[in-house]
Amino acid sequence: MSETNDIARLRGVGVKLGRSEVLRGLELGLAPGELCVLLGRNGAGKTTLMRVLAGTLRAESGSVRVCGADPSRSAAARAAIGFVPSLPDLPPWMSLTTAARFARRCYPTWDDRRLWRAADALAVPRRGRISKLSRGQAAGVQLALALAARPRLLLLDEPFAGLDAVARDGLLSAFLTEVDLEDTATLVSTHDLDIAARIADRALLMDGGALREQAVGDAQLEHSAAALRALLTQTTPGPDGAAA
Amino acid sequence: MSLLALTHKELREQAPAFLVAAALVIVGCLVTGWLADDLFVDSATFAHTAAVCLTAIVAIAMGCDIGARERNEGTQEWLRRQPVSLGQVALVKLAVLLGALVAAAVVGSESATVASRLFASGASSLQAEPMVGLILGGTVALALWSMACSSFLPRGFLAAPGGACVFALLALPAALHEIVMGRLRPDPPIGLWLTCALIGGALAALSSMAIGSRREWATWKRAGTVALAGSIGIAPTWFEAGANLAGVTTLDLSSPNLEVRSAFLHTDGRHAFAMLRDEQWPSFPVVIDLETGETVAAGVLGDDLWPAHTTVSTRSNRFPFGVLHKQDGDSEIVGSDGEILAIDRAELSAADLEPFNTIGDGGWTLALPAGGGWRLSRAGSGARAFVAAPGATPVTEEVLAAAGWRVQYVEGWLVDGLWIFRGLVRPSANGQTITEYRSLDAEAGELLAVDWMQARDSIVCALADGKALVGDRARLSIVDVREGGRRDLDTSGRKVRWWAGTATVLQATEGEGSLSCVTAVTADGSIAALVRADGSVARWIEPPPGSAGILCLTALADGSIAVLTYRGGQVLRFGPGGDEPIATALHW
Amino acid sequence: MIDWRVDTEAPEPPSQQLVERCLDGIARGDLAPGDKLPSVRALAGLALVNHNTVARAYRELDLIGAVRGEGGRGVFVTEAGPQIARQRRAATTWSDFERALETALRAGHSIEDLSERVRTAESKRRPA
């Protein structure tokens, strides 16, 4: 896979939050059709990496490119990104319908049919305010919104955290059914090794502010949860709360 | 498109604050319209107050929320992820707030207008708009500043200046009360209320900006609480300040205390220029038709045209009724129809200004400086300004000095083309000051001695046929300004304390030939005398009791005399048709 | 009905597990020759695995001849599918049985004990 085709490309990215250096010389390329899982201990910098990719956090050093532009500066680059946060962060008064009305005007690639299909698959209410929905439904709403924008880069930041087993499986199933893997690069950060093992084309391991994916190796295309757990135990825990 | 989306979002988020605030003020306007006195309810001040009040409440309710909302709701990350720039977001927020403030001003003033229509008793009053623009502008600026303080900034940052701005918004009525004018000082209960609101408002503003609002509260609850607290804190004091302001910025023409401060009759013998006032303030210039009693505004309320900055002419051909109003270098000439002709001084020709070329009443004179052109300057108060008739050689200080006249103070009158000056002169080194009179021949440009004036005399007015009324306070004479003959006025045994006011040359009436009228203060009050050319009084005209004197009078076509009284602004008729009121009070 | 869900704790990789599930279904007759298998997307959702994993499993099944991909129409069980499946299952069964037998013998169980267990299992199955 040539690097020029990469949807997202991070080179030597460094980020400091306060005094702690959360990301350090981080290198990452995400190619279309890839579903990568981002693993790492608490505070390893997973969320920070997600925010850098989403453009809500500006890297202090190195370069960040999504579809050729820095997402923290380019609205066009942000328009190519779908993001599902671990906690719903839409304005609380928004429902799926009102949020879609907002997003429809902002995302040029917006697809309404895609939205309603995803909403049906995720079984989320169309009109309920996000603040009144359960965690699982709220995550579903944000996933449906992210999918409907037909993103080139889809980022899921611990979307399954805090969901009960049934909600988790429902969300995962709908995600796997609805996501377009062909043109999209997908990055899912999770602590759930079961999920990681199920869905990962590549498992990226965050350790000390950088990525260790070579340990998994491209040759091994499928992972077991046990293998991932073994990898994770080799990493050092990050400073508590640094990635918060 | 994304701007549209952002605008929709902001409108949706800020609608509760606006609606709650608007509902509160609409109810407040109705209650106020029902309870408050008519002078306030009918006046424009009510609408202005409601507009300012709602604007202030909306500014506080929305200004505290619109910028800090993303932080309070935890939607900053979401917003940053959207393919819109934060600049656009700020722009839209600003635009929505501005739009809401404008809408608030409109809704506030409209609801007050509706309330005043519903509850008005029909009492007529005039309106003024002092400081309203300033207050509105200041309100908007403060609101924007408080918003700028709270938007996109970490909690606590600039909280103090932000709080101070909200505090200032609350304190605006206090500033009105205490600083602008003493008459706006609140009643003690309202004063206490204001103090409490100021302290509470400042604490609330500071704490909300420092701590941030509680996230668990729904938007409408938070907006409602802020709007309600804002209303309770702001509305009573603002409305009280507005009511007080209405008392001093409106002129109730039905008021028994209405006075006509001064009046001048036009040469058409029908129209009078008058300044109305209610006790102290404000004054209001009107043109009164003495035949019908109708009045026309000749300016706006608060125009204090008389006497310090104005020269009134009743002799202009070009301007049927002229008031030369000088203020900050601008001049206005008011026609008898009340229309103000704003005229740049440069456009005024010598002929235009000639009618105003009188000295005395307004203290303003026209001068021809050595460099040519007309100059309006002020004589008296030690100012060394001297005058000349149009076309004549200017009389400068040098001219006077060459003639041996070293004046400290000079005033003069124009009678039948002849200037007559009275100067306070220090003739020699002994330091004594004496009064001397000179006349100026317009053609020769020469100062001539005047021997028919005595030291305590002044010229009361110019009469017809080159005659003038001159005299001191107790004695009035008629002189011929060219011939110098002097004859005492026959007061028919009436004791005149002093002769006052300007005299008016009346057209021929009652077969008497040329009559002049002069007002006089007697033991019975200010009365008027119609004076014949030979110095005898043809008729005394006494005003009705309580009217406190006559200001001006004129002969009407039917031979009767119309009189404008001082108090109440009554226009009365005396003469062949019987003595009867034409208009019992000036009306609009 | 086939339980498609894969077990991530199992030693076999997920795509291998999907191959086994398919073959089980075909061998049992849940999937008859000519039957259409779920689409890649649908099966990804059912098994909770990546599309690529499903595609890999289908390729494997295609390779051994149990199913046949027909362009864009889908993936179908072949006529020879059931037989292939049974053979594959038999091979797996025997290898599992032999592994279990070896473990039992290593643990010291006698041949009689094991024969008795086989007979008991047989008699339990018969009434059903």
Side-chain angles (χ1 to χ4, degrees), chain B residues 8 10 27 61 81 148 161 192 196 282 302 315 328 444 448 477 482 529 558:
Chain B
H8 182 261
E10 293 302 331
V27 171
R81 284 201 308 270
L192 185 66
C196 292
R315 300 183 191 90
D328 303 329
L448 305 169
S477 310
R482 294 187 189 275
D558 62 0

Side-chain angles (χ1 to χ4, degrees), chain B residues 452-490:
Chain B
W452 38 265
M453 292 288 279
Q454 289 158 17
R456 292 177 64 191
D457 280 344
S458 64
I459 294 184
V460 175
C461 65
L463 301 178
D465 309 327
K467 293 200 168 54
L469 272 175
V470 300
D472 58 21
R473 287 184 170 183
R475 176 166 164 264
L476 196 69
S477 310
I478 289 183
V479 296
D480 187 310
V481 295
R482 294 187 189 275
E483 304 300 325
R486 177 165 180 151
R487 193 180 303 121
D488 282 356
L489 195 67
D490 176 12

Side-chain angles (χ1 to χ4, degrees), chain B residues 3-259:
Chain B
L3 283 180
L4 201 65
L6 288 170
T7 309
H8 182 261
K9 168 182 174 290
E10 293 302 331
L11 288 177
R12 167 67 182 68
E13 287 176 351
Q14 297 305 324
F18 184 82
L19 293 178
V20 171
L24 283 168
V25 163
I26 289 169
V27 171
C29 281
L30 292 174
V31 172
T32 310
W34 184 41
L35 292 177
D37 68 288
D38 286 341
L39 191 64
F40 175 54
V41 172
D42 292 352
S43 75
T45 313
F46 181 34
H48 291 147
T49 306
V52 171
C53 206
L54 182 57
T55 309
I57 295 168
V58 167
I60 289 181
M62 284 175 65
C64 286
D65 180 73
I66 196 165
R69 166 173 282 266
E70 311 302 340
R71 192 178 64 224
N72 293 338
E73 297 281 6
T75 52
Q76 272 170 314
E77 282 283 307
W78 171 81
L79 197 60
R80 283 202 187 134
R81 284 201 308 270
Q82 302 306 307
V84 293
S85 73
L86 291 188
Q88 283 178 311
V89 174
L91 189 76
V92 166
K93 282 177 184 286
L94 204 69
V96 167
L97 181 63
L98 263 178
L101 294 183
V102 171
V106 172
V107 170
S109 81
E110 286 306 309
S111 47
T113 306
V114 169
S116 73
R117 289 283 177 280
L118 283 176
F119 300 107
S121 67
S124 66
S125 61
L126 303 169
Q127 64 186 51
E129 301 172 31
M131 298 186 301
V132 168
L134 198 74
I135 292 168
L136 277 177
T139 308
V140 171
L142 283 168
L144 292 182
W145 171 241
S146 75
M147 178 206 158
C149 286
S150 59
S151 61
F152 300 112
L153 294 171
R155 188 171 294 166
F157 188 63
L158 283 183
C165 289
V166 177
F167 177 83
L169 205 58
L170 286 162
L172 229 55
L176 273 182
H177 284 317
E178 299 298 333
I179 299 163
V180 177
M181 57 187 71
R183 287 184 67 180
L184 294 178
R185 188 150 297 158
D187 301 332
I190 290 286
L192 185 66
W193 188 284
L194 182 63
T195 312
C196 292
L198 284 179
I199 295 169
L203 287 178
L206 279 170
S207 67
S208 85
M209 290 210 177
I211 303 167
S213 48
R214 293 170 63 83
R215 220 187 136 178
E216 299 82 49
W217 274 31
T219 309
W220 67 269
K221 241 188 227 175
R222 201 162 51 212
T225 308
V226 174
L228 189 66
S231 304
I232 292 171
I234 291 174
T237 50
W238 273 91
F239 272 92
E240 204 257 1
N244 284 352
L245 197 65
V248 288
T249 58
T250 58
L251 188 63
D252 186 1
L253 287 177
S254 62
S255 163
N257 295 325
L258 191 77
E259 290 174 3

Side-chain angles (χ1 to χ4, degrees), chain A residues 102-212:
Chain A
F102 180 88
R104 192 177 295 131
R105 289 169 173 153
C106 295
Y107 289 89
T109 52
W110 184 262
D111 182 347
D112 264 336
R113 279 184 312 178
R114 191 96 190 66
L115 175 76
W116 300 128
R117 215 178 70 201
D120 289 342
L122 288 157
V124 290
R126 296 185 176 196
R127 301 210 171 270
R129 287 161 158 259
I130 193 102
S131 54
K132 305 269 183 228
L133 299 182
S134 69
R135 278 284 292 278
Q137 283 176 321
V141 165
Q142 298 220 264
L143 179 59
L145 290 167
L147 290 172
R150 294 200 168 278
R152 301 295 316 281
L153 175 64
L154 182 59
L155 303 169
L156 286 78
D157 186 13
E158 302 195 20
F160 309 106
L163 301 190
D164 63 65
V166 176
R168 188 199 80 148
D169 287 357
L171 188 70
L172 184 60
S173 171
F175 165 67
L176 289 166
T177 313
E178 294 300 322
V179 69
D180 291 312
L181 286 179
E182 289 73 29
D183 297 326
T184 307
T186 310
L187 182 65
V188 181
S189 84
T190 184
H191 286 302
D192 190 328
L193 297 176
D194 174 53
I195 287 178
R198 285 172 187 285
I199 64 174
D201 283 328
R202 274 162 81 197
L204 308 172
L205 209 58
M206 283 226 69
D207 187 12
L211 284 173
R212 274 176 47 194

Side-chain angles (χ1 to χ4, degrees), chain B residues 382-408:
Chain B
R384 298 294 181 91
F386 307 103
V387 297
T393 310
V395 180
T396 61
E397 202 169 354
E398 289 72 35
V399 170
L400 293 172
W405 235 35
R406 291 163 54 204
V407 291
Q408 284 186 310

